[in-house]
Amino acid sequence: MVGNYILEMNNISKEFSGVKALDDVTFKVKKGEIHALCGENGAGKSTLMKILSGVWAHGTYTGDVFVQGKECKFHDLRAPEKAGIAIIYQELALVDEMDVGENIFLNDWKMNKGLIDFPSIYSHTQQLCAELKLDVNPAVKVRNFGVGVNQLVEIAKALNKNAEILILDEPTAALTESEVDILMDLLNDLRDKGVTCIYISHKLNEILRISDNCTVLRDGKLVGTYPTAEIDEAFIVKQMVGREITDRFPYVPRERREEVAFEVKDYNVSDTKSGKKILEDINFQVRNGEILGISGLMGSGRTELALSLFGFMKAPKTGKVFINGKEVHIKAPTDAIELGMGMVSEDRKHLGLFLDHSIVDNIVTTSASLKRISKRGMLNLSEQVFYAKKFEKELDIRTSALSNKARSLSGGNQQKVVLAKWLMTEPDILFLDEPTRGIDVGAKYEIYNIMLALANRGVAVIMISSELPEVLGMSDRILVMHEGTITGELMRDEATQEKVMHLATGGKG
């Protein structure tokens, strides 16, 4: 290894349809360090890692890759694995109907006389889990565990294949704070044992907390590599976006309106099978032009509240819902849309987009939008393109062509397409569930400005977020949930992280 670098990617360039995704990028990682890789969506991080993990085969890019001093020309996904490289994506690659041991030894079975040796598999899995301080039964199916445990199962799976370079892509996107702490402790232990980690995240506080060095990409080019101990969040943001963002939350105070757009009274939702209450005695109001933040730990009932009110959940419910003072009955999402409601789901890839359809098609997929651009059951294609171009410009959706599939867009641009879809319906009430999850600082800032513009137009915005700085920075008023109930309400000028966390852990206001 030259200069103690376990990984060297030298002068890497990669083009897609004549557009350079990577332009002469050199990326070096030392053995036994945690090295952060930062950049806005579309900066080239994923492309660089896909080259390293064999998704983009040698010959489809220019430049050289060296692992432990040896030149590597990966032509398939198995070759990096044999070289000691493992990548764990944000969307975990476990088989739900297999148990922990089966997932860890998948495609690498221990055999005995031509049969899979399950006792040996479970014994080795138990030993591996103990080393990772993961207390699970290796014979239990992974679908019975939460995301935090399954994240550690993925790491165990990688280490079982003798991975010396571990790539983690947005590893904490769906983890609770306690699960993040467990992951951080594990990564520190692995570093002490000589395992090298490449850590990709938009959460800059985590990068500063865990990494030794930080490499920043911008527009497919290397900006620089910096010792993490010598930089701060503001510095990283400036390198990522090419300018200073003095205030990450562009909140502007607005005159408080008195008209109540949306009201929920004595609302309860029960589990269909067990009858246990998922939501209990929910009461709140949202005014026209207000941004109402809803905070709480994972499992507090925030998303269930939004899904239920919008008609997605078919669970038994009681209580009353009012829009502009009139009681309404929402049995399905089509009812909600007809009543002037919109909802940006936290899971944009499964509930927000048709990934293999064009950007244009995605923007006009709701029933309300189709009615606007159709006559006598026939779509007006010119109007469809007109509205797509309108939102492309207004939301700054970055794409070479609106006919491109939604799958081709970066996370931030996919989120803008989801927003465009709902703005197309001209909603009066808009639910935003984790509106900036998995997108970069620059795209977040643009989403925040869209939220403010909507509120200024009188739209009642209900934002659900697990990021406390976001809730505090963008909300006029904050509701805090714990175990399916609202434990408190805070006005913007009185809200602090400590007060929100007190309420989120069951404390009373």
Side-chain angles (χ1 to χ4, degrees):
M1 291 178 288
V2 180
N4 204 34
Y5 290 112
I6 191 172
L7 170 68
E8 295 180 76
M9 302 181 75
N10 297 325
N11 310 112
I12 304 293
S13 293
K14 169 73 176 169
E15 291 189 4
F16 294 99
S17 303
V19 177
K20 278 201 171 182
L22 292 171
D23 187 0
D24 197 32
V25 170
T26 292
F27 177 60
K28 298 183 179 183
V29 180
K30 293 179 180 178
K31 180 176 174 57
E33 74 165 333
I34 298 176
H35 196 116
L37 183 59
C38 296
E40 294 190 88
N41 288 108
K45 307 185 300 297
S46 295
T47 304
L48 190 66
M49 291 301 100
K50 283 179 178 178
I51 288 172
L52 182 58
S53 58
V55 174
W56 302 126
H58 182 266
T60 65
Y61 61 89
T62 60
D64 303 304
V65 177
F66 293 87
V67 177
Q68 303 199 62
K70 297 180 181 179
E71 185 175 6
C72 295
K73 299 179 180 180
F74 300 139
H75 291 283
D76 55 47
L77 299 177
R78 297 285 289 180
E81 187 179 295
K82 292 176 183 177
I85 299 168
I87 184 166
I88 298 173
Y89 293 102
Q90 182 177 341
E91 296 169 357
L92 302 180
L94 299 176
V95 181
D96 285 346
E97 292 305 316
M98 285 187 170
D99 60 39
V100 174
E102 289 170 329
N103 269 283
I104 288 175
F105 283 87
L106 187 63
N107 297 326
D108 193 23
W109 303 111
K110 286 184 173 294
M111 307 298 290
N112 184 9
K113 298 179 181 179
L115 298 174
I116 297 175
D117 188 353
F118 280 105
S120 179
I121 284 174
Y122 292 142
S123 174
H124 279 81
T125 298
Q126 194 84 57
Q127 182 180 347
L128 189 59
C129 289
E131 291 176 9
L132 298 180
K133 300 175 184 176
L134 178 57
D135 185 17
V136 296
N137 183 336
V140 173
K141 292 180 179 180
V142 296
R143 63 175 166 79
N144 293 305
F145 301 111
V147 178
V149 169
N150 285 338
Q151 185 84 260
L152 300 184
V153 172
E154 278 274 28
I155 292 174
K157 180 179 174 182
L159 296 179
N160 186 56
K161 296 178 179 177
N162 300 313
E164 295 187 56
I165 300 174
L166 191 62
I167 305 165
L168 295 170
D169 185 9
E170 295 289 348
T172 65
L175 301 189
T176 64
E177 289 191 27
S178 60
E179 289 170 336
V180 170
D181 290 338
I182 292 170
L183 178 63
M184 294 292 178
D185 289 342
L186 172 59
L187 294 181
N188 280 321
D189 289 344
L190 292 176
R191 172 169 50 194
D192 292 341
K193 294 175 182 176
V195 176
T196 303
C197 177
I198 299 172
Y199 193 93
I200 304 170
S201 178
H202 293 307
K203 296 183 179 180
L204 304 185
N205 61 322
E206 290 179 5
I207 284 170
L208 294 173
R209 172 182 174 183
I210 194 68
S211 66
D212 301 293
N213 287 289
C214 175
T215 292
V216 181
L217 301 180
R218 183 171 72 238
D219 298 330
K221 297 181 180 180
L222 174 70
V223 177
T225 297
Y226 314 95
T228 309
E230 299 176 10
I231 59 178
D232 57 17
E233 286 192 27
F235 179 86
I236 299 174
V237 170
K238 184 178 180 181
Q239 306 314 307
M240 284 172 57
V241 303
R243 66 187 189 281
E244 286 192 48
I245 295 181
T246 54
D247 189 349
R248 288 166 62 186
F249 304 102
Y251 177 88
V252 178
R254 297 174 307 285
E255 185 177 341
R256 178 183 170 90
R257 303 190 188 191
E258 295 304 320
E259 313 94 355
V260 175
F262 189 72
E263 184 173 10
V264 177
K265 285 186 177 180
D266 303 322
Y267 195 72
N268 296 269
V269 177
S270 302
D271 182 81
T272 304
K273 293 182 179 179
S274 68
K276 180 183 176 182
K277 283 192 175 179
I278 301 169
L279 299 168
E280 187 171 4
D281 295 332
I282 301 294
N283 291 274
F284 70 92
Q285 297 178 339
V286 193
R287 291 172 173 79
N288 291 321
E290 180 181 32
I291 299 176
L292 176 71
I294 299 182
S295 186
L297 301 176
M298 189 171 291
S300 63
R302 301 166 308 173
T303 292
E304 289 79 1
L305 177 60
L307 291 174
S308 175
L309 290 171
F310 203 76
F312 275 114
M313 288 178 66
K314 302 305 179 186
K317 55 188 177 183
T318 61
K320 296 182 177 182
V321 177
F322 300 84
I323 292 179
N324 296 323
K326 182 181 178 181
E327 186 175 359
V328 297
H329 302 279
I330 302 169
K331 297 179 180 179
T334 50
D335 298 331
I337 294 168
E338 290 297 325
L339 290 165
M341 296 171 63
M343 182 176 172
V344 175
S345 165
E346 65 173 338
D347 187 352
R348 61 175 171 263
K349 290 189 176 180
H350 293 100
L351 297 178
L353 294 169
F354 295 102
L355 290 172
D356 289 318
H357 287 229
S358 71
I359 297 166
V360 174
D361 288 343
N362 270 279
I363 290 173
V364 295
T365 51
T366 65
S367 58
S369 300
L370 290 172
K371 284 180 182 178
R372 186 190 302 180
I373 61 170
S374 63
K375 289 182 180 179
R376 298 174 185 173
M378 297 293 290
L379 280 177
N380 185 323
L381 297 180
S382 61
E383 279 199 40
Q384 189 175 0
V385 173
F386 168 80
Y387 280 110
K389 286 183 176 179
K390 174 178 179 286
F391 288 116
E392 177 189 27
K393 183 178 180 181
E394 287 183 5
L395 304 186
D396 191 22
I397 299 170
R398 297 170 193 175
T399 179
S400 58
L402 289 169
S403 58
N404 290 344
K405 291 181 179 179
R407 185 183 298 281
S408 70
L409 298 174
S410 67
N413 284 300
Q414 285 183 352
Q415 191 73 334
K416 290 177 186 177
V417 171
V418 177
L419 270 169
K421 177 178 78 171
W422 289 111
L423 295 183
M424 179 81 182
T425 69
E426 298 184 341
D428 299 313
I429 301 152
L430 182 62
F431 282 87
L432 301 173
D433 191 0
E434 301 289 1
T436 65
R437 172 174 286 175
I439 64 177
D440 58 72
V441 173
K444 282 184 178 183
Y445 194 82
E446 293 173 347
I447 298 293
Y448 297 147
N449 277 316
I450 293 167
M451 289 169 57
L452 288 173
L454 290 170
N456 286 331
R457 279 167 32 193
V459 176
V461 178
I462 303 165
M463 177 187 68
I464 299 167
S465 176
S466 55
E467 294 191 30
L468 259 182
E470 181 170 86
V471 172
L472 294 169
M474 289 303 299
S475 304
D476 297 304
R477 187 164 50 94
I478 300 167
L479 298 180
V480 186
M481 295 188 67
H482 172 73
E483 294 184 349
T485 65
I486 294 175
T487 51
E489 175 183 326
L490 298 167
M491 298 303 294
R492 178 184 177 82
D493 57 5
E494 65 175 329
T496 64
Q497 291 203 26
E498 291 75 19
K499 287 182 179 179
V500 173
M501 285 306 300
H502 170 72
L503 294 168
T505 52
K508 299 299 179 182

